[in-house]
Amino acid sequence: EKGILHYKLTVIGKEAHGSRPWKGKNAIVILMDFYEQLKRFYPEVKDDDHWKRSLNLGKIKGGKAVNTVPAKAEMWIDIRFTDSDNKEDLKKQINTLAKNYDIKSELLNSGDVVKIKEDNLYLLKLMNIMEDYLKKPVSFMKSTIASDARFFAEYNIPVLSFRPDCKHTHQADESVKI
């Protein structure tokens, strides 16, 4: 599983009337500029097999009215990283860039990459049990998700993860095959 970093970013601008935006400092625009700069360090991901770090802007909040320059804005981002990335370097990069924009960065959630060796005895035993039960081969896969396995990985405890047959996770038409 990929590692995970969740951040809340907050910036204070200067409120002004929407008819005179030059008298204010638009907090939403500051966050968007920050995001565009941060995005440059993340390759475009096209599918689940693209095993690179990824960046998602999950939520943005700001402004009071359409005719007001927003004085405050908040953004929440979700970063997933692989074992070829250094988590501390990614955190430093975000904090440094945020500082350049006078943005407060708050780390909300963090987890390491979860890896298990394919020759792990327990993994091989579980695979044999599953293949006997399912009457078909079972394969290894990389996962872009992050699960509670990260809490064990932190202590070098091997974790076996698997999931039911499901579709559209965290989407309106999410389903699981029973």
Side-chain angles (χ1 to χ4, degrees):
E1 297 176 2
K2 287 184 177 182
I4 185 172
L5 292 170
H6 286 166
Y7 274 91
K8 177 182 177 186
L9 301 145
T10 307
V11 67
I12 304 299
K14 181 181 175 193
E15 192 170 68
H17 194 278
S19 67
R20 296 180 183 91
W22 57 88
K23 291 192 173 199
K25 190 173 177 184
N26 191 316
I28 294 173
V29 170
I30 295 168
L31 281 179
M32 295 308 298
D33 287 346
F34 162 85
Y35 182 73
E36 286 300 316
Q37 290 301 312
L38 184 61
K39 220 169 62 167
R40 293 181 15 202
F41 299 104
Y42 291 80
E44 183 180 352
V45 179
K46 299 181 192 264
D47 58 51
D48 291 349
D49 292 330
H50 191 98
W51 195 246
K52 303 282 185 191
R53 66 180 171 265
S54 64
L55 171 67
N56 177 56
L57 193 170
K59 182 178 172 183
I60 191 163
K61 177 179 162 185
K64 294 190 279 186
V66 70
N67 65 342
T68 304
V69 174
K72 180 180 178 182
E74 299 166 308
M75 173 188 292
W76 289 259
I77 58 173
D78 177 351
I79 294 168
R80 305 297 169 110
F81 59 93
T82 70
D83 48 348
S84 62
D85 296 305
N86 181 301
K87 180 171 73 169
E88 295 308 314
D89 288 347
L90 294 173
K91 288 163 61 173
K92 184 178 179 182
Q93 178 188 58
I94 290 165
N95 292 330
T96 300
L97 187 59
K99 190 175 180 179
N100 292 343
Y101 282 87
D102 202 21
I103 293 172
K104 177 187 170 196
S105 64
E106 179 184 354
L107 180 62
L108 302 174
N109 190 9
S110 172
D112 292 328
V113 173
V114 176
K115 264 186 107 169
I116 189 167
K117 293 181 180 175
E118 292 185 12
D119 65 351
N120 179 285
L121 175 67
Y122 298 106
L123 176 64
L124 295 174
K125 283 183 178 187
L126 178 63
M127 286 183 71
N128 286 333
I129 292 167
M130 290 177 69
E131 287 176 348
D132 286 346
Y133 178 77
L134 297 171
K135 308 286 188 240
K136 65 180 183 180
V138 176
S139 61
F140 295 101
M141 66 179 276
K142 293 179 179 180
S143 178
T144 58
I145 66 155
S147 73
D148 288 347
R150 69 183 179 271
F151 300 115
F152 296 93
E154 181 179 343
Y155 298 101
N156 294 317
I157 299 170
V159 178
L160 303 175
S161 297
F162 50 95
R163 66 173 191 233
D165 188 5
C166 59
K167 293 181 181 176
H168 313 291
T169 308
H170 299 312
Q171 297 176 41
D173 58 346
E174 179 176 20
S175 65
V176 64
K177 186 176 181 180
I178 297 175

